[in-house]
Amino acid sequence: MLPKQNVILGISLLCLGLLIAPLYDALAKYLSEDIHILEIIWARFFSHFIFLVPLVYFIKGKKLFFNSSSKHQIVRGIFIFLATAFFYGAISEIPLANALSIMLVAPIIVVFMSSYILKEQLNSFKIFCTFFGFFGTLLVIQPGFEEFNFYSLLALLSGFCYAMYLVYTRRVNFSSDPWVSLCYTAIPGAVIMTVCLPFFWQSSPSIDQYLLMGSIGLVVILVHFIFIKAYQNAEASILAPFHYFEIISNMLISVLFFKDIPNIIVCFGILCIVSSGVLITIKQKI
């Protein structure tokens, strides 16, 4: 069973994770200028695997590592692998803003799938907050959809897979150790990409690039452990609107590092995103 829930702690942890998450996307985008995108996907999952899985298996032992939730853990790991692969494939050909706005249908899917899979209570207030946050996201990103093409479809598939990963994260938290869950986040992707590695490897990275590729895994471990702890403390349908906070963290990076000051429409969009989260938080405390 899950420990006693602390919704405010769950929300705070999720927002912290989403504040850090853009770092590994930024590293992947930077490396993609010189390294094939499939090689970066491999580095993301293999570095996560090699840094964590042997250590956790040694500490926790076979009995804790393989349990009644293992099949759900594998499904969960496949979903995050597909979400990552589809998203990286999408941003290789379409603007990041377009891909991100399409992928962020994920919280909407989480709200409905958490009712079906997790039997969480679904109400009109949760639905309203989720769609209101998505509206704010569109105002911030202001994507231009002149053409919905194959790569746009990849972004949409990424959003669906990411949503299912979040739902299954909540599900396995009922019976699995969080460190074991974190290992399964990497295992399917690391195995699939390593088996396929000889068929797509074509780069000759420098030492610095290898270090950056490895650092992606370290950031991913930190972020996804925070996500797992967040979903231990709050229902998936409650946390769903807060995933739009990632847009705010991206905006903060733009302001701090690139001096890109948002306009009035963007500021209003940020207000909508924050409001959707504040409303659902207040609702939980009443």
Side-chain angles (χ1 to χ4, degrees), residues 2-277:
L2 284 171
K4 183 178 179 181
Q5 294 191 110
N6 183 332
V7 174
I8 303 303
L9 176 60
I11 291 170
S12 301
L13 286 171
L14 180 64
C15 291
L16 174 62
L18 292 171
L19 187 65
I20 302 170
L23 291 177
Y24 58 75
D25 285 337
L27 285 170
K29 188 72 174 175
Y30 173 75
L31 287 167
S32 67
E33 295 179 3
D34 301 306
I35 300 173
H36 195 279
I37 196 69
L38 290 177
E39 296 167 23
I40 296 171
I41 295 172
W42 168 80
R44 176 252 186 267
F45 285 98
F46 186 76
S47 59
H48 181 170
F49 178 96
I50 205 68
F51 285 136
L52 191 70
V53 174
L55 179 63
V56 172
Y57 185 84
F58 177 77
I59 294 173
K60 300 293 182 180
K62 183 177 179 180
K63 187 175 180 180
L64 271 180
F65 205 89
F66 300 105
N67 55 46
S68 59
S69 292
S70 293
K71 63 179 181 180
H72 295 305
Q73 292 279 23
I74 292 171
V75 171
R76 173 177 164 273
I78 291 172
F79 274 128
I80 191 59
F81 164 67
L82 291 175
T84 302
F86 288 145
F87 187 71
Y88 284 7
I91 63 175
S92 68
E93 294 293 337
I94 65 175
L96 179 61
N98 290 28
L100 190 58
S101 60
I102 297 171
M103 193 208 74
L104 282 173
V105 300
I108 298 172
I109 298 172
V110 168
V111 167
F112 291 100
M113 294 306 293
S114 62
S115 174
Y116 177 71
I117 295 176
L118 304 175
K119 310 303 179 185
E120 294 180 2
Q121 183 180 1
L122 181 63
N123 56 51
S124 56
F125 188 77
K126 289 179 181 178
I127 296 172
F128 168 76
C129 287
T130 304
F131 277 95
F132 191 56
F134 183 64
F135 170 70
T137 300
L138 292 179
L139 291 179
V140 171
I141 300 176
Q142 299 178 38
F145 295 110
E146 293 83 6
E147 179 178 1
F148 191 91
N149 55 30
F150 171 74
Y151 296 99
S152 303
L153 179 61
L154 289 182
L156 185 62
L157 289 172
S158 174
F160 174 79
C161 292
Y162 185 60
M164 296 304 296
Y165 160 76
L166 295 173
V167 171
Y168 270 88
T169 294
R170 174 69 177 174
R171 179 168 185 165
V172 300
N173 275 337
F174 285 98
S175 55
S176 291
D177 181 272
W179 287 103
V180 173
S181 294
L182 189 58
C183 288
Y184 278 95
T185 304
I187 291 171
V191 171
I192 292 169
M193 294 306 292
T194 301
V195 169
C196 297
L197 190 64
F199 300 101
F200 61 74
W201 191 273
Q202 54 185 251
S203 304
S204 299
S206 65
I207 298 298
D208 288 344
Q209 288 173 327
Y210 272 121
L211 290 173
L212 288 176
M213 290 166 76
S215 67
I216 295 176
L218 293 175
V219 179
V220 167
I221 289 170
L222 174 62
V223 169
H224 284 269
F225 182 75
I226 294 172
F227 285 172
I228 289 167
K229 299 301 289 185
Y231 276 81
Q232 280 187 338
N233 284 280
E235 293 182 350
S237 55
I238 292 174
L239 293 176
F242 290 90
H243 278 275
Y244 298 122
F245 182 77
E246 186 174 357
I247 299 298
I248 298 177
S249 60
N250 275 285
M251 186 61 60
L252 287 173
I253 289 175
S254 296
V255 172
L256 293 174
F257 294 98
F258 302 106
K259 309 302 180 184
D260 186 9
I261 308 300
N263 58 33
I264 296 297
I265 295 177
V266 170
C267 290
F268 182 70
I270 292 173
L271 180 62
C272 292
I273 295 169
V274 173
S275 297
S276 70

Side-chain angles (χ1 to χ4, degrees), residues 7-8 11 125 242 275-286:
V7 174
I8 303 303
I11 291 170
F125 188 77
F242 290 90
S275 297
S276 70
V278 170
L279 286 172
I280 205 166
T281 304
I282 293 173
K283 181 71 173 179
Q284 292 304 309
K285 298 190 71 173
I286 294 177

